[in-house]
Amino acid sequence: MTYVLIPGAGGSADYWHLLTAELSRHGHDSVAVDLPADDDTAALPEYADIVRAAIGDRSEVVLVAQSLGAFTAPLVADDPRVATVVLVNPMIPAPGETPGQWWEATGQARARTAYALAEGRTPSDDVDLTVDFLHDVPAPVVDRLMAAEPRGESEAVFVQPNPLRRWPDVPTRVVTGRDDRFFPADFQRRLARERLGVDVDLLPGGHLLALSQPARLARQVLSYR
């Protein structure tokens, strides 16, 4: 069984470096996909083609998709080589919905504000990398992340049509960070039930579980075998 890892916004395969090490330690092959997030002509169909190419001639593949990667995963999951899809703190899409439409359609901003207030933090419409994403990531990992060339995300991914017409008939699991400040756990739980009819599996940690809890995430992903 091979684990094909789809990153979130920014498209960097390096996001998965700690998880690939954990999977290898458990004796499993993995492929971290690098997506052309800086290519203004690349959108979801191009991302899906790159993931299919990464699968190559492998069989019994588990797709693991982080956040925005949940928009790419179902476009590949109809491939007979894909056995399971694992979504981590995901943007779960509705058929035909673009990533740009997802925010308002799901009520993410309201959920994020409510969670900040519940935690005693001052809500903000702005995204603060340290507050929203890195609050539980170990300092050495943060240093490595901050030393890398920053990568944004192509606007095309957010606005070009999403060819998804229905969720593929493949077992799909959702892993949720209990302490995710960007996509709060209750918000993720509601979305998983409404859009996939599944319950989430809760892990301690924030939005970047592969960086803050790689060992726990590896064990959770491997449990789906």
Side-chain angles (χ1 to χ4, degrees), residues 169-183:
D169 187 20
V170 60
T172 302
R173 309 298 292 265
V174 178
V175 181
T176 292
R178 181 191 62 201
D179 312 301
D180 192 333
R181 294 176 174 178
F182 200 54
F183 301 161

Side-chain angles (χ1 to χ4, degrees), residues 4-173:
V4 175
L5 313 176
I6 306 171
S12 175
D14 190 62
Y15 168 73
W16 298 110
H17 75 280
L18 296 175
L19 185 64
T20 57
E22 286 293 331
L23 293 173
S24 178
R25 189 170 66 83
H26 287 280
H28 293 277
D29 181 36
S30 62
V31 178
V33 180
D34 205 63
L35 296 174
D38 56 353
D39 183 349
D40 290 338
T41 68
L44 293 174
E46 287 74 25
Y47 281 16
D49 288 344
I50 290 169
V51 175
R52 288 183 189 276
I55 293 173
D57 59 0
R58 298 173 176 88
S59 59
E60 290 297 301
V61 166
V62 177
L63 294 179
V64 182
Q66 160 74 17
S67 194
L68 178 61
F71 269 83
T72 300
L75 301 179
V76 183
D78 59 350
D79 190 306
R81 296 169 294 179
V82 175
T84 309
V85 174
V86 180
L87 306 177
V88 184
N89 289 327
M91 294 173 67
I92 302 172
E97 182 180 73
T98 69
Q101 295 167 335
W102 180 90
W103 306 91
E104 180 62 29
T106 60
Q108 180 269 345
R110 294 187 296 275
R112 179 178 168 229
T113 294
Y115 186 64
L117 290 170
E119 282 200 314
R121 292 182 288 109
T122 301
S124 173
D125 292 335
D126 297 327
V127 176
D128 186 313
L129 191 62
T130 300
V131 172
D132 292 310
F133 296 109
L134 302 176
H135 57 95
D136 67 324
V137 177
V141 181
V142 172
D143 291 343
R144 172 186 171 129
L145 187 68
M146 300 305 288
E149 186 73 23
R151 299 178 69 174
E153 186 64 51
S154 167
E155 183 66 17
V157 170
F158 292 99
V159 300
Q160 289 193 16
N162 179 3
L164 181 68
R165 293 296 169 260
R166 60 180 295 274
W167 198 271
D169 187 20
V170 60
T172 302
R173 309 298 292 265

